[in-house]
Amino acid sequence: MPTISICMIVKNEEKHLARCLDSLQGLWDELIIVDTGSTDRTKNIAAEYTSHIYDYQWRDDFAHARNYSFSLAHCDYIYAPDADEVLDSTNWQKFLQLKQTLLPEIEIVQMIYVNQHNYQTTENFEKDYRPKLFKRLRTFQWIEPVHETIRLQPVVYDSDIEILHLPNSSHASRDLELLHSLAQKGLPLSARLHNMYARELFMAGTAQDFLNAESIFQTSLQDPARSNDEHMEALCVLARINRLKRNHLEFLSLCLNGIAAAPCAELCLEAGDYYKEMQDYENARDWYENARETPAILDLRCQEQFPFERLNSLKIL
């Protein structure tokens, strides 16, 4: 049976850590806790479960912290939970069965991440596969009987294990601050982070968060190297910013150009909100109806929830 290292990075998780580790008891062969600067009882709680507790100097880089935690592992596989994740008894049994039957050629196991919508940030889903269990040392094998080559793609197994994400609060402000900081330092945002930044703004950003992002998304809108999808993300963010700043001509230009190029619920909703602010309720109603019938690209609520709420609000005006 393969052995499993659990590698966690934590900071001020006294409300969650024991609940997470209690739900994983009996599955790990090694537990590694990397603390990134806790000022509460997180390390004291961790010490009740393991002596492998390490301090890490935070450098605004979750990937670097994860890589450091993985470098400390010694077992065959590494499981990487967050402190606000929980395995219930049914999925604990599924995990144990997986451990007992895991084939050595499997290099990554995906598990079903069950997102609680109380604190939406960048996710538009309730359940989604995520890679969670990783083979610590990868072996390379030759494949094909002729013109042989090395298999480069990892062997991935999609399990039916469900992980419950049970946060007590939103991480949106932390994530938005970090994304803004990275961009301000001149570090280019990948297409993935560009999408996440735009999504998190729409799903959890304050007016100030939008205003802070103006120069970043203005640059990406004018960057020919960005994809059409990224240009649309930038256009949606900039439309909201210009509506907030009451730059109406620029707002209408962005909305109309975006809707003409690739209609999305976000821009239709923005147009509806603009006309509502102008007390032009007939046009507002038309745009809210359009939002209901147009796919969202950043926040599903712009198609599935907000237009209905806005239309209902118009009925009482």
Side-chain angles (χ1 to χ4, degrees):
M1 182 167 63
T3 56
I4 293 178
S5 297
I6 289 183
C7 293
M8 301 180 67
I9 58 172
V10 297
K11 181 181 179 181
N12 293 339
E13 294 288 0
E14 65 178 7
K15 294 180 180 179
H16 299 123
L17 186 58
R19 180 185 66 181
C20 174
L21 294 177
D22 286 344
S23 77
L24 297 171
Q25 283 272 27
L27 296 176
W28 73 70
D29 299 278
E30 177 182 53
L31 174 60
I32 294 168
I33 305 289
V34 172
D35 188 272
T36 65
S38 292
T39 55
D40 63 4
R41 295 188 60 256
T42 295
K43 291 171 68 175
N44 301 91
I45 294 170
E48 298 175 10
Y49 296 85
T50 181
S51 61
H52 300 295
I53 303 170
Y54 302 86
D55 290 316
Y56 171 87
Q57 186 173 356
W58 182 244
R59 56 180 71 187
D60 290 341
D61 190 333
F62 283 98
H64 191 276
R66 294 277 190 199
N67 288 333
Y68 174 65
S69 72
F70 275 33
S71 74
L72 301 169
H74 299 92
C75 292
D76 301 317
Y77 285 84
I78 299 173
Y79 180 59
D82 289 329
D84 58 6
E85 296 174 6
V86 174
L87 276 184
D88 62 21
S89 58
T90 298
N91 288 287
W92 186 95
Q93 289 289 345
K94 290 180 180 179
F95 199 128
L96 180 62
Q97 184 178 14
L98 172 74
K99 182 179 179 181
Q100 293 169 340
T101 59
L102 191 61
L103 299 175
E105 58 264 31
I106 293 174
E107 295 166 317
I108 296 175
V109 176
Q110 296 206 113
M111 300 180 185
I112 302 167
Y113 197 76
V114 183
N115 194 45
Q116 304 298 303
H117 280 239
N118 297 338
Y119 298 104
Q120 277 185 314
T121 52
T122 60
E123 308 299 353
N124 278 319
F125 62 85
E126 292 184 357
K127 293 185 178 183
D128 190 52
Y129 268 118
R130 286 191 178 183
K132 295 296 291 185
L133 184 68
F134 310 89
K135 195 168 190 178
R136 186 173 64 87
L137 296 177
R138 186 180 181 191
T139 56
F140 290 92
Q141 291 183 324
W142 291 92
I143 57 174
E144 308 292 5
V146 65
H147 298 302
E148 67 279 5
T149 187
I150 289 289
R151 176 175 54 79
L152 299 178
Q153 295 299 317
V155 178
V156 179
Y157 171 64
D158 292 341
S159 75
D160 63 350
I161 298 170
E162 293 192 351
I163 301 167
L164 301 178
H165 182 218
L166 301 175
N168 285 335
S169 61
S170 171
H171 296 154
S173 59
R174 178 203 68 188
D175 294 345
L176 286 166
E177 181 180 345
L178 182 54
L179 286 164
H180 182 251
S181 174
L182 291 173
Q184 288 296 99
K185 291 175 182 177
L187 299 175
L189 294 177
S190 66
R192 174 175 171 270
L193 286 183
H194 188 277
N195 174 264
M196 286 189 165
Y197 196 175
R199 275 198 286 160
E200 192 137 12
L201 283 169
F202 269 83
M203 298 181 76
T206 64
Q208 189 59 53
D209 289 327
F210 273 92
L211 295 174
N212 290 343
E214 182 173 14
S215 63
I216 296 164
F217 284 93
Q218 187 66 54
T219 298
S220 65
L221 182 63
Q222 297 170 351
D223 184 355
R226 291 283 185 184
S227 68
N228 290 337
D229 287 345
E230 291 167 281
H231 285 155
M232 281 301 301
E233 293 160 6
L235 199 149
C236 289
V237 172
L238 292 169
R240 169 71 64 84
I241 290 168
N242 279 278
R243 184 171 65 80
L244 291 170
K245 294 173 68 174
R246 303 189 71 81
N247 292 339
H248 293 155
L249 288 178
E250 181 64 16
F251 166 77
L252 289 171
S253 175
L254 289 165
C255 267
L256 293 175
N257 286 336
I259 290 169
C264 64
E266 288 81 0
L267 289 177
C268 294
L269 196 73
E270 289 295 323
D273 286 346
Y274 163 77
Y275 282 110
K276 183 180 178 182
E277 290 169 3
M278 296 297 104
Q279 298 184 349
D280 183 346
Y281 301 129
E282 184 175 350
N283 269 317
R285 185 175 293 104
D286 289 342
W287 281 110
Y288 291 147
E289 291 288 359
N290 286 334
R292 293 172 57 185
E293 300 170 1
T294 309
I297 63 171
L298 295 170
D299 185 352
L300 290 178
R301 296 174 300 174
C302 291
Q303 179 187 7
E304 298 178 354
Q305 175 185 344
F306 295 155
F308 294 92
E309 294 174 351
R310 304 293 208 277
L311 286 166
N312 286 333
S313 72
L314 290 179
K315 292 178 181 178
I316 61 176
L317 294 176

